[in-house]
């Protein structure tokens, strides 16, 4: 999956590589300093010897410089989305959203300098913990969206020890600035009948990023009447925090109030700032009850931490209202847009109390109806539990959509005619990205190949969201046609990634999965999709052309992933992060002779989709250019010639390989790779697993192909890929099965069950199960058995843990890796719906 944080776990390995790089840089630097010291003799040498040399070198230097510039220059094709498409004027209903997936609850605008809102909370008592951002290890959970329609409404449940929080929002359209919205946060004890009810603080905050627009209106000590503000995008607006009530009715509850504001310290520092300001001087004193101490904010009534000239210096503002109440209770926050209120919303009444309850209920009802209409789980006879899982899968994916804005770091392709030029990483231009994320706690940012899978589900629900996401991703294209596989945009995203993993390499690809939702658009007949594809075509074309040219392999029509790890003595099998299958075993000795089967299949799929697209759009030139390529890549005899391994009886990678590698303890170095006999030689790579299945997974084989049978054999064999929980990534019979890649790097794609590939497999089995051919009946049978295994296990794990997981154990089905993982694991819904 090629993820920075995953790589961080292999840090000593990567650290070794960084150290090696630094050592290589060292002598060069020393040399140049020496050159200055040697003075005039050096000048003579410079003219006679160095100058001609430099002139030759400058040719390649210029070329490197040119490449470096192109790497961080945006592609010149017209944008796939209309100008200002994220603005409240053009897309008012998407302007506000839960576009901060890494916080438990928050909303912001789709804007480079957004207005942000969020929630923190703490339970008072022995060791209060301030909750704000989703974390793997903070003990909160399970949590996730029960409903989220991706647009205007959502309800989330969060378990935090003895507490159960419910966070809900609903939007009300109107005006020209994105309309109104309201929140309700309900806090209840986990179990009823507990004796001492806890005291809980909710912290509602508003932050601006670089623009100062907020004016707090103080009601009483520590309590705000409302916060008003104005910005060019939002016009006039007002936030009002209503008094706490008992859940489900309007009986008021006593609340203690604290307030704090300052200039914005930087979004990643908000939690720390609040933590550092909390102090224990405060008492909660409801009438007739004994007072209770709590941690509260100090109640500053002026903007703090101003710059020397009294200005905020464009850092923005941070304003937080704390309300402390005995559990159980509900609190509502109302955002009113001036133009929406003036345009008729005021007459409808404030979206709070019973009106809010009504709005939430009618949205929940509409969600249920639309969900059944779209996926028909009930009609297909799936159980209420399965339907609930499906709703949570969809809602979690939609609730994980974020809006990011910022500049990535790019390392240009440095290889110029054999010589490697040193080029520093450069900043990519500032770009927006509207995307779903793999995991709110662990990977809360955009990942290229994940997104193609995400959008397969999103487009069934709301094709417009998919056009928005694809349009944004295609907006990241550089002048060469490259898109970086991991997008770390903005401070909030950057703080989650160790500095050495911020850099994206412009020579490295990633599977072109965005073409999967594109292919689905082509099957449908939505005029809006076709209009989008027409605008997007030049970018899709450039992206595909870059892929198939830059990753060309050693022989025609073969392909090779650039960017395998180099062969370090600590690695069992150098990883191939660009493939997305990180540690899936490849040739034991990386070399330019490699031919990668999965990549070839991705390129074949890409050529096929591009040609279909060009045909549909009447792009005759592109059809003429890509048609022959698609035909050659689709020709089974060429695939056979390059990848069929008769000795293995399956398709395989090809490269310099030996099976005789293993890790051996060698103190004090730890585990070290030992290569035995037979020595590596050019051959097919014996690593049976997901890669072997790619011609099947991407439906590249004819139903009468003689290769289909053998692939179904390994798929269905429990000694190889079949497990009771889904297809395992690497055959149980493989010597690499379940093996660590280094002392610090546990197995990742070496046995575990992954939902994205199982979804592709289900789609392929369903496909061959519906086409006449010698394997039709078998494919159909395998489809229904695999579907039952995969869906059954994800459901069991969801019921046991409350989460969808990154991967599942092929031994006992247990959820593994990070959670919640409502990226591609959400495809379980499409598997239930049998929608491929
Ligand atoms: C394969 O790798 C070994 C070890 O690095 C090397 O000696 C050999 O020349 C390589 N063979 C080919 C054909 O590249």
């Amino acid at each position: 999956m090629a993820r920075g944080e995953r790589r961080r776990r292999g840090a000593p390995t990567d650290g070794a590589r960084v150290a090696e790089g630094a050592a290589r840089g060292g002598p060069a630097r020393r040399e140049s300093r020496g050159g200055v010291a040697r003075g005039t003799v050096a000048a003579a040498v410079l003219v006679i010897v160095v100058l001609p040399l430099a002139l030759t070198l400058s040719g390649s230097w210029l070329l490197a410089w040119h490449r470096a510039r192109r790497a961080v220059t945006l592609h010149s094709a017209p944008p796939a989305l209309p100008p200002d498409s994220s603005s409240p004027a053009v897309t008012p209903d998407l302007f506000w959203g839960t576009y901060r997936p890494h916080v438990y609850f928050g909303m912001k605008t789709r804007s480079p300098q957004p207005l942000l809102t969020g929630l923190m909370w703490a339970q008072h008592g022995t060791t209060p913990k301030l909750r704000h951002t989703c974390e793997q290890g903070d003990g909160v959970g399970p949590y996730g969206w029960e409903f989220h329609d991706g647009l205007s409404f959502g309800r989330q449940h969060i378990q935090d020890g003895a507490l159960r929080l419910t966070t809900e929002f609903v939007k009300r359209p109107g005006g020209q600035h994105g309309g109104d919205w309201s929140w309700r946060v309900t806090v209840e004890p986990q179990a009823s009948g507990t004796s001492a009810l806890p005291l809980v603080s909710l912290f509602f905050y508003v932050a601006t990023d670089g623009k100062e627009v907020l004016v707090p209106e103080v009601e009483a000590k520590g309590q705000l009447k409302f916060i008003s503000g104005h910005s060019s995008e939002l016009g006039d607006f007002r936030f009002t925090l209503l008094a706490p009530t008992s859940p489900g009715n309007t009986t008021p509850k006593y609340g203690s109030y604290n307030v704090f504001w300052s200039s914005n310290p930087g979004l990643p520092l908000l939690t720390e700032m609040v933590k550092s300001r909390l102090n224990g001087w405060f008492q909660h004193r409801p009438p007739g009850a004994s007072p209770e101490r709590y941690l509260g904010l100090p109640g500053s009534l002026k903007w703090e931490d101003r710059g020397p000239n009294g200005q905020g210096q464009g850092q923005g503002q941070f304003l937080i209202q704390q309300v402390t109440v005995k559990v159980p209770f509900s609190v509502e926050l109302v955002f009113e847009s001036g133009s929406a209120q003036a345009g008729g919303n005021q007459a409808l009444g404030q979206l709070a109390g019973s009106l809010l309850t009504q709005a939430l209920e009618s949205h929940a009802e509409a969600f249920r109806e639309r969900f059944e209409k779209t996926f028909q789980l009930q009609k297909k006879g799936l159980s209420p539990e399965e339907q609930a899982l499906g709703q949570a899968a969809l809602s979690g994916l939609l609730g994980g959509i974020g809006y990011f804005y910022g500049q990535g770091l790019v390392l240009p392709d440095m290889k110029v005619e054999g010589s490697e030029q040193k080029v520093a990483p450069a900043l990519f231009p500032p770009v927006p990205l509207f995307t779903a994320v793999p995991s709110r706690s662990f990977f809360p940012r955009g990942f290229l190949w994940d997104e193609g899978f995400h959008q397969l589900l999103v487009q069934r629900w709301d094709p417009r969201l998919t056009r928005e996401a694809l349009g944004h991703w295609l907006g990241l294209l550089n002048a060469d046609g490259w898109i970086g596989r991991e997008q770390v945009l903005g401070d909030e995203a950057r703080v989650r990634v160790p500095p050495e993993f911020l850099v994206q390499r412009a020579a490295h690809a990633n599977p072109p999965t965005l073409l999967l939702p594109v292919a689905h658009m082509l099957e449908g007949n939505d005029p809006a999709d076709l209009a989008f594809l027409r605008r997007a075509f030049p970018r899709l074309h450039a992206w595909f052309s870059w892929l198939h040219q830059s990753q060309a392999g050693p022989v025609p029509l073969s392909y090779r992933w650039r960017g395998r790890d180099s062969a370090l003595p600590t690695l069992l099998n150098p990883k191939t992060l660009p493939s997305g299958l990180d540690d899936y075993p490849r040739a034991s000795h990386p070399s330019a002779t490699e031919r990668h089967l999965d990549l070839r299949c991705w390129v074949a799929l890409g050529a096929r989709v591009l040609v279909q697209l060009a045909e549909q759009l009447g792009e005759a030139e592109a059809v003429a250019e890509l048609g022959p390529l698609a035909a050659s890549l689709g020709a089974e005899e060429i695939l056979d010639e390059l990848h069929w391994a008769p000795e293995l009886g399956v398709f395989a990678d090809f490269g310099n390989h030996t099976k005789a590698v293993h890790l051996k303890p060698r103190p004090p170095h730890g585990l070290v790779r030992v290569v035995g006999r037979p020595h590596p030689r050019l051959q097919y790579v014996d690593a049976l697993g997901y890669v072997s299945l790619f011609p099947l997974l991407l439906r590249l084989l004819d139903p009468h192909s003689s290769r289909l049978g053998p692939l179904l054999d390994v798929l269905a064999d429990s000694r190889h890929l079949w497990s009771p929980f889904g297809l395992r990534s690497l055959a149980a019979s493989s010597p690499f099965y379940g093996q660590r890649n280094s002392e610090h790097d546990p197995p990742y794609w070496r046995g575990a069950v992954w939902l994205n590939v199982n979804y592709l497999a289900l789609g392929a089995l369903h496909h061959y199960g519906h086409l006449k051919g010698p394997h039709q009946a078998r494919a159909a049978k395998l489809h229904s058995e695999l579907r039952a295994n995969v869906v059954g296990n994800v459901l069991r794990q969801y019921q046991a843990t409350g989460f969808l997981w990154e991967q599942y154990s092929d031994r006992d089905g247990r959820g593994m890796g990070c959670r919640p993982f409502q990226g591609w694991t959400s495809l379980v819904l499409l598997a239930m719906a049998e929608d491929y």
Side-chain angles (χ1 to χ4, degrees), residues 589 591 593 656-657 680-682:
H589 290 67
S591 72
T593 61
N656 190 13
H657 182 66
R681 64 178 173 86
L682 293 181

Side-chain angles (χ1 to χ4, degrees), residues 407-665:
Q407 296 185 266
L409 274 175
V410 175
L411 191 67
D413 183 4
M414 299 188 300
K415 292 216 172 58
V416 179
E417 285 150 18
S419 75
E420 205 167 297
Q421 301 280 329
K422 282 267 164 243
V423 185
L427 276 175
F428 204 70
V431 278
L433 181 61
F434 180 71
T435 183
V437 303
S439 166
R440 288 172 60 194
S441 60
F442 208 63
F443 302 115
R445 55 188 172 276
F447 285 83
L448 180 56
W449 92 297
D450 293 69
E451 186 66 359
F453 290 106
H454 300 158
Q455 294 305 327
L456 281 173
L457 177 50
V458 172
Q459 71 184 162
R460 264 77 171 184
W461 178 255
D462 189 346
R464 184 176 59 142
L465 291 177
T466 296
R467 294 191 291 272
E468 287 281 324
L470 290 188
H472 275 91
W473 274 99
L474 292 172
L476 305 179
L477 205 68
N478 79 0
D480 293 323
W482 167 84
I483 301 175
R485 70 170 188 259
E486 183 169 341
Q487 295 294 329
V488 192
L489 304 177
D491 292 346
E492 290 192 284
R494 191 154 45 236
V495 71
R496 296 268 177 147
V497 184
E500 62 268 38
F501 301 123
L502 290 173
V503 178
Q504 297 296 302
R505 289 165 190 260
H508 298 180
N510 204 207
T513 56
L514 297 183
L515 295 173
L516 297 172
V518 167
H520 184 73
M521 286 180 179
L522 282 172
E523 286 164 23
N525 259 327
D526 185 340
D529 276 350
L530 291 179
F532 168 79
L533 290 175
R534 186 171 296 285
R535 278 195 311 271
F537 182 75
R539 288 175 174 268
L540 288 166
H541 187 192
W543 186 44
F544 172 76
S545 300
W546 176 83
L547 177 73
H548 102 86
Q549 284 160 17
S550 69
Q551 311 294 304
V555 294
L557 297 169
S558 74
Y559 295 88
R560 176 171 68 88
W561 293 112
R562 302 305 193 272
R564 280 197 72 184
D565 285 356
S566 42
L568 295 175
T570 48
L571 300 181
L572 179 61
N573 187 285
K575 286 196 274 195
T576 315
L577 298 176
S579 73
L581 309 172
D582 298 18
D583 65 346
Y584 188 96
R586 307 282 179 164
S588 61
H589 290 67
S591 72
T593 61
E594 274 173 72
R595 312 199 287 257
H596 293 132
L597 172 62
D598 52 337
L599 178 54
R600 189 194 194 276
C601 293
W602 283 121
V603 176
L605 172 90
R608 191 173 71 191
V609 173
L610 260 291
V611 168
Q612 281 168 359
L613 182 55
E615 279 169 353
Q616 191 141 348
L617 299 176
E619 298 274 353
E621 219 172 288
V623 175
E625 177 211 329
L626 296 171
L629 176 69
S632 309
L633 286 167
E636 257 180 60
E637 59 282 7
I638 304 179
L639 176 66
D640 252 34
E641 206 175 291
L642 294 172
H643 287 288
W644 183 259
E647 66 277 26
L648 304 174
V650 284
F651 293 105
D653 279 355
F654 183 86
N656 190 13
H657 182 66
T658 173
K659 269 212 290 201
V661 291
H662 58 277
L663 291 177
K664 241 191 165 157

Side-chain angles (χ1 to χ4, degrees), residues 22 92 177 198 343 361 375 623-624 689:
H177 301 91
E361 273 167 15
F375 302 105
V623 175

Side-chain angles (χ1 to χ4, degrees), residues 204-281:
F204 294 89
Y205 69 81
V206 184
T208 63
D209 193 5
K211 277 182 286 186
E212 310 208 334
V213 298
L214 302 175
V215 184
E217 189 77 28
V218 180
E219 160 110 22
K221 195 175 171 333
Q223 187 176 3
L224 298 177
K225 202 146 84 194
F226 52 77
I227 303 162
S228 57
H230 178 92
S231 76
S232 55
E233 281 178 323
L234 284 164
D236 291 321
F237 59 84
R238 187 152 91 166
F239 289 96
T240 313
L241 187 69
L242 302 180
T245 66
S246 290
N249 60 48
T250 51
T251 317
K253 291 211 53 162
Y254 182 84
S256 299
Y257 288 88
N258 299 68
V259 69
F260 174 76
W261 61 77
S262 84
S263 51
N264 184 345
L267 296 174
L269 299 175
L270 296 186
T271 320
E272 274 316 307
M273 179 172 223
V274 170
K275 257 190 205 164
S276 70
R277 301 282 166 156
L278 286 174
N279 69 62
W281 305 329

